[in-house]
Amino acid sequence: MNFVLETNCLRKKYKHHEALKGVYMHVPKDSVYGLIGRNGAGKTTLMRLLTGVQRESGGSYSLFGVDKNSPEIKKERRRIGAMIESPSIFLDLSAEENLKMQYRILGLPSFSSIPEILDLVGLSDTGKKKVSSFSFGMKERLGIAMALAGHPDILILDEPINGLDPEAIVEMRELIIRLNREMHMTIIVSSHILDELSKVATYYGFLDN
């Protein structure tokens, strides 16, 4: 089996707290990997380590077969798109303007794929409407659109259904399935709600700190 992400006894310790106690993961290519754990189990911490936002205290991991200590790991991390905790969006800009800002940050040379991404997440009809007037579910979908800039091979979503109403949860579920099946994207999605993850995930990992 082709694994795009593997962790080996990955650990993270803060001064008085061990957030991760030796995590082993094997995420197959083109899968939806459901990461289950109660609040405080370390799901967000794990995602920060994988994206390079924080450094691990011990253990190792590899992305696309490249070890974390390799000089090539920075290049492989660029193949990851992530929405961790609250999306970083500008409320006084439109969805399109937010995406243009993200493209500039990533150094992408053309805005030509922005309409396609907005259509993919169901925001193509928002026009010049400011994000401050968006519903919570629309802001979450914009957060995913931002993570899709650069067309990543792995998409990491941290509790994307938290705070959503039932209709928005269904929309989020359908979006995850569509990204996986139509875009052939490997998706790692965390939640503390097993019943909801069971509707989208093809593989599971459990955190229990």
Side-chain angles (χ1 to χ4, degrees), residues 42-185:
K43 301 186 297 296
T44 300
T45 298
L46 175 59
M47 292 178 167
R48 286 173 175 164
L49 298 184
L50 298 176
T51 54
V53 175
Q54 291 183 323
R55 290 184 62 86
E56 67 284 348
S57 303
S60 63
Y61 66 88
S62 64
L63 291 170
F64 306 102
V66 176
D67 185 81
K68 72 176 183 66
N69 294 317
S70 168
E72 295 295 312
I73 195 64
K74 288 184 179 179
K75 178 182 176 182
E76 299 306 322
R77 283 203 192 104
R78 295 192 195 106
R79 298 171 66 183
I80 296 177
M83 184 178 74
I84 301 176
E85 297 183 305
S86 299
S88 298
I89 53 181
F90 296 93
L91 297 178
D92 59 339
L93 299 180
S94 68
E96 181 180 355
E97 290 167 338
N98 267 279
L99 272 175
K100 286 181 177 179
M101 289 286 290
Q102 184 72 356
Y103 272 52
R104 292 188 185 102
I105 290 170
L106 295 175
L108 299 174
S110 170
F111 299 146
S112 61
S113 59
I114 287 179
E116 176 189 354
I117 291 177
L118 288 174
D119 182 62
L120 191 63
V121 300
L123 295 175
S124 59
D125 61 348
T126 55
K128 296 183 179 180
K129 187 177 179 181
K130 290 185 178 181
V131 174
S132 57
S133 65
F134 283 15
S135 67
F136 186 75
M138 291 170 69
K139 289 174 183 175
E140 288 290 286
R141 282 185 277 134
L142 177 56
I144 292 179
M146 304 277 279
L148 292 174
H151 300 282
D153 295 304
I154 297 177
L155 180 64
I156 293 179
L157 303 176
D158 183 20
E159 300 269 10
I161 65 170
N162 262 14
L164 298 183
D165 60 37
E167 182 179 354
I169 288 175
V170 172
E171 290 174 351
M172 183 64 69
R173 182 196 311 155
E174 291 174 347
L175 175 58
I176 290 171
I177 293 172
R178 185 180 178 190
L179 289 171
N180 173 249
R181 293 181 181 174
E182 295 182 15
M183 309 298 289
H184 302 288
M185 195 173 294

Side-chain angles (χ1 to χ4, degrees), residues 2-6 25-29 31 33 186-188:
N2 185 7
F3 297 112
V4 295
L5 167 66
E6 297 180 80
M25 290 175 66
H26 296 82
V27 180
K29 186 178 185 297
S31 66
Y33 190 95
T186 303
I187 300 174
I188 302 171

